[in-house]
Structures are given as C-alpha cells and as structure tokens.
Amino acid sequence: MYPSRRVSTAILLFVLVTTWIQPTWPIEQAMHGSLTVVAMALLWRYARKYPLSDRDYFLIVIFLCVHSIAARWLYSYVPYDQWLQSITGVSLDDSLGWTRNNFDRLVHFLFGLCFTPAIVSHAMQRHRRSARSAFYITLAIVMIASLGYEWFELAVAMTLSGEDAESYNGQQGDMWDAHKDMLMATLGSLAWARHYLRAKPVAP
C-alpha cells in the first residue's frame, strides 16, 4: 500500500522546505535544487495528463526527496555516516573501507531504481509494449539520461572555476566518478529486471 499522490506531494514539499532551513551553501544548493523544482513541475504535469500509479509517483518522490537532501550538503558532505553512528554506533565508511563520501552513488542508484517502473508503465500503456520490451527500452533511457547528466556536469565544470566546479560536481578526486555514477544508475534500473522480464504477457 502506497501513499496517495497528494500525500506523496506533501512529503516532498516538506522535505524540500526543510532542507532550505539555514542553508550552508545557498548558491550551490540552489543550482542543484533548481533541478528538483523542474522535476516536480514535470511530474505534476505528467500526472495530470497520463495515468500514474501511486507506487510509481511515490518512487519518484523518494528520489526527489533524497536528491533534495543531497543538494543541501552538495552531495559530498552529507553526514550519513555520522547519522548512522549516532543511531547504531557503527561507521559504514569504516566498515566498508570507504575514503570518500558515497551519498552521490546512492542518488544515482535511486535514479535508476525509482524512475524505471514509471517509464516501463508509460511504454506499456502508451506504446503497447510488452513488459520485457518496455524494460529494455527503459534501461536504455536510464543509461542515456545518466550519460546526458554527466555531459551536463562536464559543461558546468568547463564554465565555472575549478573550485566551484568541484563543489557542484562533487567528484572528490575520483577520476572515474562519472563512470561509476552511470553504472550505479544502470544497476538501479537492473534491480527491476527479474520483475519485468518474468512478467507474463498481457492478452490483447
């Protein structure tokens, strides 16, 4: 059972407003947050025009909420490890041997995980695709969108100063950051593979 779209929207607005309380990096956060606002508008417009289940809507809202949290701390400074230690007493970074803040990897993974069902549903309903075919199309869309976003970050890096570009992109010195981000989005989408590839064909 998933919350209604109205409840999901309220949750998103609450998270968005909360993350703007006394921002540490308001300019950089606004750059990231602008994408969330655009996504909210597109989601609202799409939901008015096409059928979108409460589950699919809620999953997209989850992604936008996590993205808003990441934007507040510019991805690289999200204190997830401190939060976990305060609750469990365990350091995730120490346990896994991480030397960088990996919250950005979670966001990219959630992009694939949270958008895949909605795109698959659209392909099945609007374009009469089978679940298998719709999933393959969706996987390609997620991969292409991830590549496009990395190109966008490259454009940002080329137009800003080195320090500002690093603050926005959050590579944290990892030369393979873009490749790993795209891989995480792909893996997020692939998490649905068994669900859709084993789906029984719908009778015409």
Side-chain angles (χ1 to χ4, degrees):
M1 189 68 178
Y2 295 90
S4 66
R5 284 182 287 179
R6 179 174 297 181
V7 172
S8 294
T9 301
I11 293 172
L12 176 56
L13 291 174
F14 173 78
V15 172
L16 186 61
V17 170
T18 302
T19 55
W20 271 98
I21 297 176
Q22 298 180 343
T24 305
W25 302 280
I27 296 177
E28 292 84 352
Q29 182 178 345
M31 292 176 64
H32 284 293
S34 62
L35 299 178
T36 305
V37 174
V38 171
M40 286 177 59
L42 292 176
L43 177 61
W44 178 81
R45 182 178 179 181
Y46 180 90
R48 284 174 57 89
K49 189 175 182 180
Y50 301 107
L52 188 63
S53 69
D54 289 342
R55 182 201 66 177
D56 294 353
Y57 191 93
F58 180 62
L59 286 174
I60 295 175
V61 163
I62 288 177
F63 170 79
L64 294 178
C65 286
V66 176
H67 181 273
S68 297
I69 294 171
R72 177 180 173 84
W73 281 279
L74 308 186
Y75 286 84
S76 302
Y77 307 107
V78 179
Y80 65 87
D81 202 48
Q82 293 90 320
W83 294 339
L84 184 63
Q85 286 189 62
S86 65
I87 297 172
T88 66
V90 177
S91 169
L92 183 63
D93 288 349
D94 290 345
S95 299
L96 298 177
W98 290 346
T99 57
R100 74 186 296 277
N101 189 301
N102 282 298
F103 199 82
D104 61 329
R105 306 281 189 245
L106 171 65
V107 177
H108 285 278
F109 178 81
L110 288 178
F111 171 70
L113 183 71
C114 295
F115 276 87
T116 291
I119 301 174
V120 169
S121 295
H122 181 88
M124 292 177 65
Q125 295 171 9
R126 301 292 301 176
H127 301 287
R128 305 297 182 183
R129 296 285 184 172
S130 67
R132 178 182 292 268
S133 174
F135 174 73
Y136 286 138
I137 292 171
T138 298
L139 181 61
I141 290 173
V142 168
M143 296 173 73
I144 292 170
S146 298
L147 176 61
Y149 182 75
E150 296 303 327
W151 282 353
F152 170 74
E153 286 196 338
L154 174 62
V156 170
M158 294 175 65
T159 55
L160 300 178
S161 66
E163 182 179 352
D164 290 340
E166 174 61 26
S167 296
Y168 182 83
N169 291 340
Q171 291 183 230
Q172 302 178 61
D174 186 355
M175 64 179 293
W176 303 109
D177 180 68
H179 305 74
K180 293 175 182 177
D181 289 347
M182 289 187 288
L183 174 61
M184 293 306 296
T186 302
L187 292 176
S189 186
L190 283 172
W192 290 97
R194 182 174 181 178
H195 176 79
Y196 289 113
L197 297 184
R198 291 192 174 187
K200 294 181 180 180
V202 178

